[in-house]
Amino acid sequence: MTSPIAIVTDGSGAPVPGADGHPQERRLSVDATGALRTSGGGGGGGGSSGSVTAAGVNGTAAQAVQGINGGVPIEISGFEPNGQKLLVGTARDRFFDNFNSFDTTDTWELVQTGPGMSITGPLGGAAPGSGPYLNIASGVDVGKTIILSRSSFSLPVELRYQITASQRIAGSRLLVGFVQVDDSGAIITDTTYSTAPEVLDARNAVFHQHDGTTATTAQLRVRAAGGGTDQVANAFGTGFTTVAGGTAPNFLSATTYALLLERDKINSRAFGMNVLTNSGGQFSYDRLLVNPTRRYKVCIIIENDAVPASSTDWRLHLVNVMDATRFDVSARNAGNTDGAKAFPVWNVGGTTLITTATGGIAVTIAPLVQAETTTNLGANATFTGTTRDGGSTAVYATFNVLGISPQSGTVEVQMGTATPATFVCARQAVVANEPFQIKVPVTARYYRVVFINGATAMTGSAFMINSAFQRAS
Amino acid sequence: VINESIAYLTAANGERFQVLNEAGDDWDEAATRALYEASWLALPQPEPQE
């Protein structure tokens, strides 16, 4: 990777020429202590945390940043002070944890462990299809365990996670989502307008909250700008659950949950895994929007907000955070159907867009090249091809027919503004065993090919006709 | 009944042959061919022209 380059300037911002008369360049890097360093000039020296150290312009000892920039801090686009890394996309790092271990050094920060709660594992992973998971026993005391990702993210970002629970019981809940953090990685709290202890008073926060006594319920909780927390209860639809498959301790997650934070909406999803039909549901939310220009960390909260009757094992199977830039094209409007959130598809060239009864969207694209026939014709018999639909929008330039016949005959192309196409727009005689082709400009939507055999019946396997719409080049 | 928008064969005597696929959105060429051959082969064929 090539380091960023800074130009040495004087106090007024004007470049300071080197001995050769050209502007002096310095390569920038960050050392293990977090100090920004330069290299490439004469001299140079040790950086110090929190300051910028430049190579000395006099080629001797290290000098402070005043030496190259008049004391003005250098801002580097994409530099993430929290973690001292340069950003790529909206995610500082790829963040993925399927809990081969519980790494509280580089991956997670165990902010606090609630009273009576215990974290064990990873467990499981021994049976086919079962991965290891982190087990957090809720205990029966009021309190909460808080886990933060070490990495931070900016919008758009998508969190996908898999969890299961030994039971769903009143008083115990699991929240998974994002909280706003500052450059040091600490949660930014705000109680100016309201308090929101359920989301740690984070000024901006989005969570899925798995609570209550039903395995197939969850809710979206959103807090924006320190205002009152909003919630959408159980709008995922059906088909998802926190009930685990498998046998203890090799539990299997049955559902993948997804939380997509975009600049103009929040999309919540839950869908069954390894099923042929995408069970579950999704909805979009945009009444409150978290600030898309701020940074966020993944936050997991296991909380007993009241004394539960018994302890619950909350299991974390997977946490996967993805840069969602590619999704940030604002498909359509918010809504609770696939169609409401679908990307618009322009229906051209015989493409059929179908919204299926199960909520999915199937796209059938008619092949451009059609095998018309290879069926031998008797004497003076006729093959009439299927009428081909070039679409209501003019995207094709020509309709082409190619073929060969073991007997002489006549080939026609017929066109029409409706189906079947019946108006002859091209015709030519066919010589036996000589390839033939017709190319007609597309001036109507529908076309078909017709072949009239001569007086001799065909035999063998030499008869073939294909057709194709051809796009304008 | 022939679906005129879908491929079919017409014998010299004007008889038309078409067998559609299960979905009814295209012809079943093999089945149409079998039906057609069974029919037109049974018809008197004209003499080949020189």
Side-chain angles (χ1 to χ4, degrees):
Chain A
M1 187 184 75
T2 302
S3 301
I5 294 175
I7 303 297
V8 178
T9 62
D10 61 17
S12 67
V16 176
D20 60 359
H22 292 93
Q24 299 179 70
E25 295 181 349
R26 299 286 186 272
R27 291 204 175 274
L28 303 178
S29 61
V30 178
D31 69 12
T33 68
L36 186 63
R37 293 173 178 273
T38 64
S39 61
S48 60
S49 179
S51 66
V52 177
T53 303
V57 294
N58 61 4
T60 57
Q63 294 185 336
V65 68
Q66 288 90 334
I68 61 170
N69 206 30
V72 179
I74 299 174
E75 293 188 2
I76 304 173
S77 177
F79 178 68
E80 164 62 282
N82 174 25
Q84 313 296 330
K85 295 182 181 180
L86 289 174
L87 290 172
V88 177
T90 60
R92 195 188 70 202
D93 298 314
R94 292 183 178 183
F95 190 92
F96 182 95
D97 198 354
N98 52 7
F99 297 100
N100 172 265
S101 64
F102 183 43
D103 181 350
T104 56
T105 301
D106 296 323
T107 306
W108 298 105
E109 176 189 357
L110 182 57
V111 178
Q112 69 178 48
T113 303
M117 296 187 180
S118 61
I119 300 175
T120 54
L123 305 174
S130 71
Y133 58 86
L134 189 68
N135 192 86
I136 303 168
S138 72
V140 292
D141 299 320
V142 173
K144 63 182 70 175
T145 292
I146 303 169
I147 302 171
L148 275 180
S149 65
R150 293 285 182 186
S151 295
S152 60
F153 314 93
S154 62
L155 273 58
V157 67
E158 180 165 14
L159 164 66
R160 293 191 183 188
Y161 64 95
Q162 296 167 1
I163 60 167
T164 60
S166 61
Q167 64 178 352
R168 293 286 288 271
I169 192 168
S172 185
R173 63 193 184 190
L174 170 68
L175 292 89
V176 183
F178 293 96
V179 290
Q180 183 187 346
V181 296
D182 61 20
D183 284 347
S184 72
I187 298 173
I188 294 180
T189 61
D190 193 329
T191 56
T192 303
Y193 307 110
S194 67
T195 59
E198 69 278 8
V199 295
L200 310 179
D201 285 327
R203 180 180 293 165
N204 288 282
V206 182
F207 281 93
H208 282 166
Q209 178 169 304
H210 303 268
D211 59 358
T213 60
T214 305
T216 55
T217 58
Q219 60 181 293
L220 174 70
R221 300 188 72 93
V222 180
R223 189 181 197 225
T229 304
D230 197 8
Q231 69 178 55
V232 179
N234 202 38
F236 292 97
T238 59
F240 66 97
T241 180
T242 53
V243 173
T247 304
N250 302 307
F251 292 113
L252 305 168
S253 175
T255 302
T256 295
Y257 297 90
L259 189 56
L260 172 60
L261 274 56
E262 299 185 73
R263 294 187 178 95
D264 62 345
K265 64 177 178 290
I266 296 165
N267 191 8
S268 288
R269 288 187 288 165
F271 41 94
M273 296 183 296
N274 298 333
V275 291
L276 297 180
T277 56
N278 188 13
S279 61
Q282 60 178 320
F283 66 95
S284 286
Y285 169 95
D286 59 3
R287 181 157 59 186
L288 293 177
L289 292 178
V290 295
N291 191 327
T293 66
R294 301 298 185 248
R295 305 203 60 75
Y296 295 85
K297 282 186 171 183
V298 173
C299 183
I300 300 171
I301 304 170
I302 297 90
E303 179 176 16
N304 293 333
D305 59 321
V307 175
S310 59
S311 178
T312 300
D313 284 340
W314 291 101
R315 310 182 194 102
L316 307 180
H317 295 257
L318 171 71
V319 176
N320 186 9
V321 180
M322 295 174 289
D323 179 339
T325 300
R326 63 189 184 281
F327 298 124
D328 190 35
V329 292
S330 189
R332 287 178 63 188
N333 299 316
N336 62 356
T337 65
D338 283 340
K341 292 176 289 301
F343 291 97
V345 177
W346 188 248
N347 184 5
V348 295
T351 301
T352 304
L353 184 64
I354 302 168
T355 300
T356 68
T358 55
I361 294 178
V363 176
T364 303
I365 300 175
L368 298 178
V369 177
Q370 302 285 352
E372 295 287 354
T373 185
T374 57
T375 297
N376 284 334
L377 298 174
N380 302 312
T382 300
F383 162 77
T384 303
T386 296
T387 296
R388 305 301 179 187
D389 184 357
S392 58
T393 304
V395 296
Y396 297 115
T398 59
F399 179 74
N400 305 326
V401 174
L402 290 91
I404 189 168
S405 168
Q407 302 297 341
S408 61
T410 302
V411 62
E412 292 179 350
V413 171
Q414 298 180 347
M415 60 181 282
T417 55
T419 180
T422 57
F423 298 97
V424 176
C425 60
R427 175 189 291 135
Q428 73 181 48
V430 172
V431 177
N433 298 312
E434 290 291 331
F436 59 87
Q437 60 175 295
I438 298 180
K439 176 183 287 189
V440 297
V442 169
T443 55
R445 176 171 177 173
Y446 299 101
Y447 288 84
R448 71 179 178 184
V449 58
V450 173
F451 187 93
I452 305 103
N453 191 28
T456 304
M458 298 177 183
T459 58
S461 57
F463 183 50
M464 180 278 294
I465 300 177
N466 277 14
S467 71
F469 281 105
Q470 182 175 349
R471 288 183 180 274
S473 58
Chain B
V1 177
I2 296 290
N3 183 335
E4 304 248 4
S5 296
I6 297 176
Y8 59 92
L9 303 175
T10 308
N13 64 356
E15 186 178 358
R16 297 190 294 181
F17 301 87
Q18 182 186 63
V19 179
L20 298 181
N21 63 13
E22 198 166 330
D25 58 2
D26 200 357
W27 75 331
D28 184 333
E29 183 171 5
T32 303
R33 175 190 299 146
L35 177 65
Y36 169 66
E37 289 179 348
S39 299
W40 76 263
L41 285 175
L43 296 174
Q45 300 295 307
E47 292 295 325
Q49 294 182 334
E50 295 300 327

